[in-house]
Amino acid sequence: MSTLPRVLVVDDRPNMLRLVQKILRADAHVLTANDGAAAINLLEREAVAVVLCDLEMREVGGLAVLEACKRTQPGAVFVLMTAYATVATAIQAMRMGAYDYLSKPFDPEDLRAVILRALGRAASHTAAAEAETDTLLPGVYGRAPVMAELAQLVGRVAPSDATALVLGETGTGKERIARALHALSARSERRFVAVNCAAIPSELLESELFGHVRGAFSGATRDRPGLFEDADGGSVFLDEIGDMQASLQAKLTRVLEQRCIRRLGETRERDIDVRLIAATHRDIERMVAGGTFREDLWYRLNVAVLRLAPLRERGGDVELLARRFLAEEADKRAEVPRGFSPAALDLLRAYPWPGNVRQLKAAVERAAILATGAVIDVDDLPPELRSHPVFDPDLGEDAVLSTLTWQQTTDRARDHIAPRYLQAVLTAAQGNVAAAATRAGIERESFYRLLRKYGVRAEDFR
């Protein structure tokens, strides 16, 4: 079963169809149509990622095929080619939704580069369409119940001005939650200012937050407002607040109580209007008990506590995020794999991800750069993932399954049964995609996405 993306080539010259098939044979599964009517008929039955179509053909031309493609498969990326290139037809094609325009005769490598870019765009469209239904908060994606519960809580907290504290392991996406709080608040049109308390030396952090006046310390040659003043009317995000020095914790407590700040070297106080959002990967309650974090500041922060689950507890979010990160790589450059092999997905799901989402993103970026095939395989993933056992014949499958969460196990089962289900439905529908989608109880475009995802070809069942 081919896992290559599918490209439909439409031209009324057989030698051109053979040439394009030869150029793209390593990059795509190429379908062909020798006239516009045949292409439109095929588009109504088969899911494709890219259409490469001649403009001038007998009876039904390329613009008619473009119009039909946008109607039947709006997610497909359309590229026109013609020996009759004119500005007028190019503009018309772009207005109708064409992605690019290729003039004959063309260099084979130029055509391949255009198609690879189009395939990258198609992968991005697919990921975006899938992510649209998995968007829990602005910039936050997931399917796991723990994330849905967190999103509901963020939705309730965001409209208020309550101080919020985001807790979670390093790399889980605490800043994304903070940005979502800001985006959903009445302050969204004003600034969101983020500060990493662990990254700035403690002697400089106070000046960074509260500002200073000229002569306050050596090197202070002019008055300078701090980030609290810069964010007036907006939100200040203090990341890794657990690393803040005790003396500065006391001053921050006063800011939260009085809603005013005092620049270094200045006697008067300045009113501020900001919402504070803090975050840390540390156990603040234990730090309070141990005397390393001020109890009064903890009480000020403990108004709206949002706990972000580690990635290992988020089940199917691993695959969702991995596909999204791969689509982001496709947006940056042309030659990027269009998916993951089943074995690679098994490994991604089984790995415990101690570095959480940040580690997953880095792993996908690395694999996208190193992979030489059409999909990312196990050998393309980082060594720390490859050394993690997914299935060891000497241990037996039950021993490996016992290391997985319920969500990881059901995800693995879904990927095993999904291709067989799609094949069965297509067989019953005699290869008719519209009828198969109706049997499956989903929209035709969603059915097309499933076919692309699992590498199932409808024409094999007619």
Side-chain angles (χ1 to χ4, degrees), residues 57-201:
M57 295 181 291
R58 296 182 300 274
E59 297 184 7
V60 180
L63 294 181
V65 178
L66 171 57
E67 184 179 5
C69 179
K70 291 304 168 186
R71 184 181 67 253
T72 58
Q73 296 197 47
V77 178
F78 201 96
V79 178
L80 275 170
M81 57 180 175
T82 181
Y84 307 93
T86 68
V87 172
T89 53
I91 291 175
Q92 184 181 359
M94 297 303 175
R95 284 176 176 170
M96 291 175 63
Y99 169 67
D100 212 338
Y101 200 88
L102 194 65
S103 296
K104 297 178 181 178
F106 49 75
D107 183 274
E109 283 305 309
D110 288 342
L111 179 137
R112 181 170 179 266
V114 169
I115 296 303
L116 288 175
R117 287 197 300 270
L119 286 169
R121 187 178 181 88
S124 298
H125 284 172
T126 300
E130 291 175 350
E132 194 172 316
T133 59
D134 297 312
T135 300
L136 298 173
L137 295 165
V140 179
Y141 311 94
R143 296 173 184 156
V146 290
M147 291 300 292
E149 292 172 9
L150 176 63
Q152 290 178 356
L153 183 55
V154 170
R156 292 197 298 269
V157 172
S160 73
D161 267 343
T163 300
L165 177 63
V166 186
L167 301 177
E169 294 179 6
T170 298
T172 49
K174 296 186 289 296
E175 184 169 339
R176 283 182 178 260
I177 297 298
R179 289 185 180 274
L181 276 167
H182 176 73
L184 296 174
S185 74
R187 299 175 178 270
S188 60
E189 299 300 319
R190 306 302 292 270
R191 290 193 65 191
F192 175 92
V193 176
V195 186
N196 188 324
C197 299
I200 302 175

Side-chain angles (χ1 to χ4, degrees), residues 32-77:
T32 61
N34 58 11
D35 60 56
I40 292 172
N41 183 264
L42 192 148
L43 286 169
E44 291 174 345
R45 297 180 287 105
E46 305 296 341
V48 298
V50 172
V51 178
L52 175 64
C53 182
D54 191 27
L55 177 64
E56 299 292 333
M57 295 181 291
R58 296 182 300 274
E59 297 184 7
V60 180
L63 294 181
V65 178
L66 171 57
E67 184 179 5
C69 179
K70 291 304 168 186
R71 184 181 67 253
T72 58
Q73 296 197 47
V77 178

